[in-house]
């Protein structure tokens, strides 16, 4: 079956490596995610002071989107309200939930922080990417035990088939303790992408996801 | 007072994760919330948490908040006037 | 294109354990919001709408051992059970999907064990799916305060795409110290019961609750008055992660997309109406920009507070009840308009023929959603 959309590009950030369309762009020596994220931020010369305010899930999704979208001029290629983001993960915002809990667990040191609490919702990373790239379209965050390529392809395909999006950033953004993994895909309307890297099928998505 | 202003600048940078800023980049007389540091509503709330946590001072109304959080100098002034001991 | 119908529903709030019980309490002018003095939740007393643990225990004990389940689980199970028992659909076959809408799930467990498996939302959804013998891996929608509306939009889309025939959508959230302390740090909790769209409003009241909607492509299992869950859309403000847009941009785009897709004269709008200064103002701007300032609009938050991930489901159920029973519910807590773009706020419960209802919601992360329910 001919799909209305194509995988234009993908970016993975995991195992201290940043890969864009099978090319290794960065490998960091850092032990902790926050240091690694700062390394990636510097390496790719990102200039966005708000980055430092984000929680780890926010940083992970933001950086993957930053590298995925660099030089693609999505905002001029598609209507802003037809560019959507659909992300998935396994542990929601639990990483930051634990941080918020630490600010309230001791009644003698009880200082809940709004800057932490706001990130106790997984979809805030979608907001961060939308603010950065001026996307006004669909936003969905789903939680599931493991990355599910079939669900992703089914869900995103109907968004394209029903003309709800022309372009979509989708994928897996997971962080739980020291484990982190982000694999984001840029999906575009087939009629607008001559240079797609692969068909948008569960098998291709799965094989890209497994290329570690 | 100068010491307090310097200390406050460092605390603000840490509390608001202004990693790309140095204390000497912050003008203590300049408004915190207009252009300058690019602070937003969450930062304002975070600064009230800072005053409570480090100095034991509560801001009770949003009018008071607007006055106190005008600049680093106004924050220092508020601390000097209200801090006991 | 296949249509999606509402087959059954339920809501659980302090006003009742079924949709009908809630409606009766609402028409009697009751509210679930009251002053709470619980030092393990907050050093100071606060107003909120909380489910009485003894009542919940009593209900749950009728059919299962309460010791085996958390407070979140008990609420969700009671709600799903009531909805499932009032439909003729076979919901255990492979054509049915269970969707859980929640922001925080069993978050109170974090107080005692930060690695408790039940903190994982997918795990909670899996337990509920297995409890009711539903097939398929369940889906969890977690999009802040639009979660419930988004979950219904998702269910409608999956059924329309032919991937499933039925979706059971449950929205549940509980209120614990975790959520309360966070909203307190945002200084967004009201000093009394919340007053949506009112001149004197000063914040929201948190609430806990559970709501269930069963969607199906089979109209024969939907009673005499058939209600269609139409298309819905979500958008982002692309402006700020916590503050509502000053121009109502995202919500305006969501409403515009909906009305372009389904051109109708809207009979009634169920607003998000949290009663924070900025949310209600933003909604009034978006609705006015969309030309809807004359349409009767209410907020249900004055009855059971802001139920977070459950809100979109609970309030959709009550909107559907409004269509089915030709009732417009009062906006509890409202007396005098306090938004710069005046709206037609419903200020008394009245009988009125309603053919359709638009449900809107907005939340942290800059997200917005709109969906239309209408009589067939």
């Amino acid at each position: 079956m001919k799909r209305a959309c194509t995988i234009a590009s993908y970016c993975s950030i995991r195992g201290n490596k940043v890969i864009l369309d099978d090319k290794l762009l960065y490998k960091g020596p850092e032990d902790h995610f926050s240091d690694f994220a700062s390394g990636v931020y510097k390496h790719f010369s990102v200039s966005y002071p708000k980055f430092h305010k984000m929680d780890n899930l926010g940083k992970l999704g933001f950086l993957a989107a930053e590298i995925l979208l660099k030089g693609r001029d999505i905002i001029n290629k598609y209507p802003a309200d037809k560019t959507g983001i659909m992300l998935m993960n396994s542990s929601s915002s639990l990483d930051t939930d634990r941080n918020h809990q630490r600010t309230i667990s001791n009644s003698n040191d009880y200082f809940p922080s709004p800057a932490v609490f706001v990130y106790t919702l997984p979809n805030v990373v979608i907001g961060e990417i939308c603010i950065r790239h001026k996307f006004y379209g669909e936003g969905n965050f789903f939680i599931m035990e493991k990355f599910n390529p079939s669900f992703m392809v089914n869900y995103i395909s109907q968004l394209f088939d029903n003309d709800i999006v022309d372009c979509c950033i989708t994928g897996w953004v997971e962080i739980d303790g020291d484990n982190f993994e982000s694999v984001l895909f840029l999906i575009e309307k087939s009629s607008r992408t001559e240079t797609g890297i692969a068909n948008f099928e569960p098998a291709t998505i799965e094989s890209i996801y497994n290329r570690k | 007072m100068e010491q307090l202003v310097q200390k406050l600048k460092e605390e603000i940078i840490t509390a608001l994760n202004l990693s790309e800023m140095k204390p000497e980049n912050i003008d203590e007389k300049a408004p915190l919330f207009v252009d300058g540091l690019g602070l937003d509503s969450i930062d304002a709330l975070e600064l009230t948490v800072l005053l409570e946590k480090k100095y034991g001072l509560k801001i009770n109304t949003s009018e008071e908040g607007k006055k106190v959080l005008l600049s680093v100098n106004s924050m220092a002034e508020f601390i000097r006037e209200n801090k006991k001991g | 294109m296949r249509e999606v119908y509402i087959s059954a529903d339920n809501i659980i709030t302090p006003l009742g354990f079924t949709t009908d019980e809630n409606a009766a309490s609402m028409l009697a002018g009751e509210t679930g919001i009251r002053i709470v003095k619980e030092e393990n939740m907050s050093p100071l007393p606060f107003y909120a709408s909380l489910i009485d643990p003894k009542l919940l225990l009593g209900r749950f004990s009728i059919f299962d051992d309460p010791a085996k389940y958390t407070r979140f689980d008990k609420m969700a199970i009671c709600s799903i059970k009531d909805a499932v028992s009032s439909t003729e659909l076979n919901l255990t076959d492979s054509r049915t999907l269970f969707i859980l809408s929640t922001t925080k799930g069993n978050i109170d467990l974090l107080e005692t064990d930060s690695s408790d498996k039940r903190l994982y939302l997918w795990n909670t959804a899996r337990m509920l799916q297995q409890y009711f013998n539903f097939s398929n891996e369940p889906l969890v929608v977690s999009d802040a305060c639009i979660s419930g509306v988004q979950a219904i939009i998702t269910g409608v889309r999956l059924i329309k795409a032919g991937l499933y025939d039925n979706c059971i959508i449950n929205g549940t959230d509980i209120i614990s110290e975790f959520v309360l302390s966070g909203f307190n740090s945002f200084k967004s909790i009201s000093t009394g019961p919340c007053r949506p769209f009112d001149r004197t409003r000063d914040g929201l009241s948190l609430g806990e609750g559970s709501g269930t909607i069963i969607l199906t492509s089979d109209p024969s299992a939907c009673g005499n008055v058939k209600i269609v869950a139409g298309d819905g859309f979500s958008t982002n403000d692309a402006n700020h992660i916590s503050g509502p847009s000053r121009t109502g941009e995202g919500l305006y785009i969501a409403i515009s997309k909906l009305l372009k897709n389904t051109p109708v004269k809207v009979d009634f709008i169920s607003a998000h109406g949290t009663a924070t200064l900025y949310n209600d103002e933003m909604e009034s701007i978006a609705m006015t920009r969309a030309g809807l300032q004359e349409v009767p609009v209410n907020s249900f938050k004055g009855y059971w507070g802001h139920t977070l991930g459950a809100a979109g489901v609970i309030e959709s159920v009550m909107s559907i009840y409004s269509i089915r029973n030709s009732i417009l519910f009062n906006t509890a807590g409202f007396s005098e308009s306090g938004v710069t773009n005046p709206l037609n706020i419903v200020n008394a419960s009245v009988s009125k023929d309603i053919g359709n209802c638009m449900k809107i919601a907005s939340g942290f992360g800059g997200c917005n959603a709109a969906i239309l329910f209408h009589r067939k």
Side-chain angles (χ1 to χ4, degrees):
Chain A
M1 185 180 69
K2 171 107 178 76
R3 296 217 181 247
C5 52
T6 303
I7 308 172
S9 179
Y10 86 93
C11 173
S12 69
I13 302 183
R14 55 189 167 185
N16 281 25
K17 285 189 283 194
V18 178
I19 292 171
L20 180 70
D21 298 335
D22 293 349
K23 284 189 287 291
L24 177 67
L25 298 188
Y26 178 76
K27 190 167 185 337
E30 301 85 356
D31 285 336
H32 295 289
F33 174 75
S34 53
D35 299 331
F36 171 72
S38 299
V40 175
Y41 179 86
K42 283 193 199 105
H43 179 83
F44 289 91
S45 312
V46 184
S47 173
Y48 194 68
K50 272 192 228 160
F51 171 80
H52 307 290
K53 295 172 184 269
M54 295 177 196
D55 74 337
N56 286 338
L57 184 67
K59 284 178 177 169
L60 182 59
F62 175 89
L63 287 172
E66 201 67 17
I67 295 156
L68 183 70
L69 299 175
K70 197 172 182 179
R72 292 206 165 250
D73 202 24
I74 294 297
I75 195 63
N76 289 313
K77 196 171 176 187
Y78 299 105
D81 67 354
K82 288 183 81 179
T83 301
I85 300 179
M86 188 278 257
L87 302 178
M88 295 161 282
N89 80 5
S90 170
S91 50
S92 184
S93 56
L94 198 49
D95 186 60
T96 297
D97 294 354
R98 294 185 183 115
N99 287 337
H100 175 66
Q101 186 66 40
R102 275 192 278 274
T103 68
I104 58 171
S105 54
N106 180 351
S107 59
N108 297 319
D109 186 27
Y110 181 92
F111 293 105
S113 153
V116 173
F117 181 68
V118 69
Y119 289 103
T120 61
L121 294 161
N123 66 302
V124 173
V125 59
I126 294 177
E128 295 285 15
I129 299 170
C130 286
I131 293 168
R132 168 65 161 171
H133 300 280
K134 292 288 154 216
F135 296 158
Y136 290 88
E138 286 287 324
N140 294 265
F141 207 111
F142 296 109
I143 316 289
M144 51 194 66
E145 184 177 10
K146 291 190 182 86
F147 179 53
N148 183 337
S150 300
F151 173 75
M152 179 172 122
V153 170
N154 282 335
Y155 192 80
I156 300 294
S157 296
Q158 58 83 27
L159 292 181
F160 278 91
D161 292 343
N162 294 313
D163 204 26
I164 295 168
V165 297
D166 286 346
C167 171
C168 192
I169 288 95
T170 183
W172 185 253
V173 188
E174 161 73 5
I175 185 150
D176 191 0
D178 286 330
N179 302 315
F180 63 91
E181 177 179 64
S182 175
V183 184
L184 291 195
F185 300 85
L186 174 65
I187 313 297
E188 295 185 56
K189 235 178 167 171
S190 305
S191 56
R192 299 291 306 270
T193 8
E194 303 78 22
T195 53
I197 57 163
N199 290 337
F200 188 50
E201 302 286 350
T204 19
I205 294 288
E206 185 150 24
S207 105
I208 291 172
Y209 178 75
N210 289 330
R211 270 175 226 169
K212 295 202 177 171
Chain B
M1 189 71 177
E2 227 171 84
Q3 236 180 333
L4 176 60
V5 166
Q6 179 67 18
K7 187 171 159 234
L8 207 47
K9 284 181 183 178
E10 284 162 15
E11 284 167 347
I12 291 171
I13 288 171
T14 311
L16 305 186
N17 291 311
L18 304 173
S19 312
E20 295 175 21
M21 292 290 276
K22 293 202 173 73
E24 54 268 34
N25 302 139
I26 302 179
D27 177 357
E28 60 270 23
K29 296 183 290 294
L32 282 167
F33 287 90
V34 187
D35 308 325
L37 299 179
L39 303 188
D40 66 4
S41 53
I42 300 181
D43 295 317
L45 292 163
E46 207 58 42
L47 289 179
T48 66
V49 175
L50 186 155
L51 287 171
E52 228 181 298
K53 195 169 173 174
K54 305 267 181 185
Y55 300 94
L57 298 176
K58 257 194 168 51
I59 291 181
N60 295 309
T61 63
S62 61
E63 285 73 34
E64 190 181 10
K66 274 186 196 132
K67 265 192 230 160
V68 174
L69 303 180
L70 197 67
S71 65
V72 176
N73 271 349
S74 65
M75 286 177 73
E77 193 64 25
F78 175 73
I79 294 166
R80 204 175 52 88
E81 278 171 14
N82 294 284
K83 186 121 170 81
K84 295 168 202 88
Chain C
M1 182 68 116
R2 55 194 340 218
E3 284 201 295
V4 179
Y5 303 86
I6 313 294
S7 176
D9 59 52
N10 164 277
I11 62 178
I12 294 178
T13 78
L15 295 184
F17 275 75
T18 65
T19 307
D20 287 341
E21 280 176 30
N22 271 274
S25 303
M26 291 161 74
L27 291 172
E30 292 174 32
T31 172
I33 303 172
R34 50 190 43 109
I35 192 147
V36 182
K37 292 169 187 160
E38 292 274 359
E39 284 186 8
N40 58 358
M41 281 173 79
S42 164
L44 297 171
F46 58 99
Y47 281 86
S49 170
L50 305 182
I51 308 268
D52 182 345
K54 285 193 212 89
L55 270 181
L56 181 62
L57 198 70
R59 288 272 174 159
F60 195 83
S61 306
I62 297 168
F63 54 83
D64 209 331
D65 175 10
K68 280 168 35 193
Y69 298 91
T70 64
R71 200 152 66 96
F72 180 99
D73 299 344
K74 289 201 255 297
M75 278 164 53
I77 290 172
C78 282
S79 179
I80 299 167
K81 201 172 179 69
D82 179 56
V84 166
S85 70
S86 32
T87 177
E88 303 141 34
L89 293 167
N90 169 15
L91 297 173
T92 53
D93 67 11
S94 65
R95 298 294 299 163
T96 298
L97 177 70
F98 172 60
I99 304 178
L100 176 64
S101 160
T102 185
T103 61
K104 301 298 338 148
N106 278 303
I107 194 67
D108 53 339
L109 302 179
L110 193 55
E111 290 164 22
T112 45
D113 179 4
S114 70
S115 57
D116 194 317
K117 267 279 173 205
R118 292 170 299 179
L119 287 166
Y120 292 83
L121 302 180
W122 58 263
N123 198 27
T124 300
R126 177 77 51 86
M127 183 280 294
L128 293 169
Q129 171 241 319
Q130 288 168 353
Y131 188 95
F132 289 99
N133 288 320
F134 300 142
S135 305
N136 296 308
E137 184 192 340
L139 190 63
V140 180
V141 173
S142 198
D143 289 309
C145 303
I146 72 163
S147 298
V149 177
Q150 186 78 288
I152 299 170
I153 293 172
T154 302
V156 169
R157 285 177 177 167
L158 294 174
I159 293 175
K160 282 197 174 180
L163 295 162
Y164 300 97
D165 295 333
N166 316 301
C167 283
I168 302 119
I169 297 161
N170 174 259
T172 304
D173 259 316
I174 55 167
I175 301 304
S176 70
E177 186 187 25
F178 185 98
V179 168
L180 190 71
S181 62
F183 277 94
N184 257 330
S185 77
F186 264 92
K187 308 213 185 299
S188 45
I189 309 272
S190 61
T191 49
C194 69
R195 313 196 64 172
F197 297 104
D198 193 77
R199 197 175 55 79
T200 60
R201 72 183 185 280
D202 66 350
L204 56 82
S205 303
L206 288 169
E208 54 188 7
S210 184
T212 304
I213 284 187
I214 299 176
L215 301 176
T216 179
S217 58
D218 176 6
S220 71
C222 301
N224 294 328
V225 184
K226 300 201 191 313
I227 310 287
V228 173
D231 290 326
F233 299 89
S234 74
T235 56
N236 199 283
D237 287 331
N239 176 58
H240 194 265
I241 52 169
S242 66
S245 156
R246 298 288 168 113
T247 58
E249 194 63 18
L251 182 57
Y252 167 71
I253 297 172
I255 294 172
S256 302
K257 284 188 178 200
L258 182 71
L259 293 178
K260 191 178 162 208
N261 177 75
T262 321
V264 289
K265 186 184 157 295
V266 179
D267 289 339
F268 160 56
I269 301 168
S270 166
H272 192 44
T274 61
T276 65
L277 282 178
Y278 294 119
N279 173 79
D280 294 7
E281 179 67 15
M282 180 281 289
E283 283 191 288
S284 79
I285 293 167
M287 283 185 261
T288 304
R289 284 180 69 187
L292 299 172
Q293 63 272 33
E294 306 294 330
V295 178
V297 54
N298 79 0
S299 161
F300 288 116
K301 300 285 194 295
Y303 293 104
W304 46 63
H306 189 349
T307 55
L308 309 172
V313 179
I314 290 180
E315 291 164 19
S316 290
V317 168
M318 221 12 108
S319 301
I320 290 159
Y321 184 95
S322 297
I323 302 174
R324 238 186 248 285
N325 296 282
S326 305
I327 297 171
L328 275 183
F329 285 97
N330 180 31
T331 304
F334 171 83
S335 59
E336 195 188 327
S337 175
V339 286
T340 46
N341 293 270
L343 299 169
N344 182 7
I345 309 280
V346 182
N347 59 7
S349 296
V350 288
S351 292
K352 189 172 188 287
D353 184 52
I354 307 163
N356 65 55
C357 166
M358 181 189 287
K359 172 70 203 139
I360 55 178
S362 300
F364 271 6
C367 54
N368 306 272
I371 188 171
L372 191 83
F373 300 102
H374 64 90
R375 211 164 44 205
K376 181 69 187 170

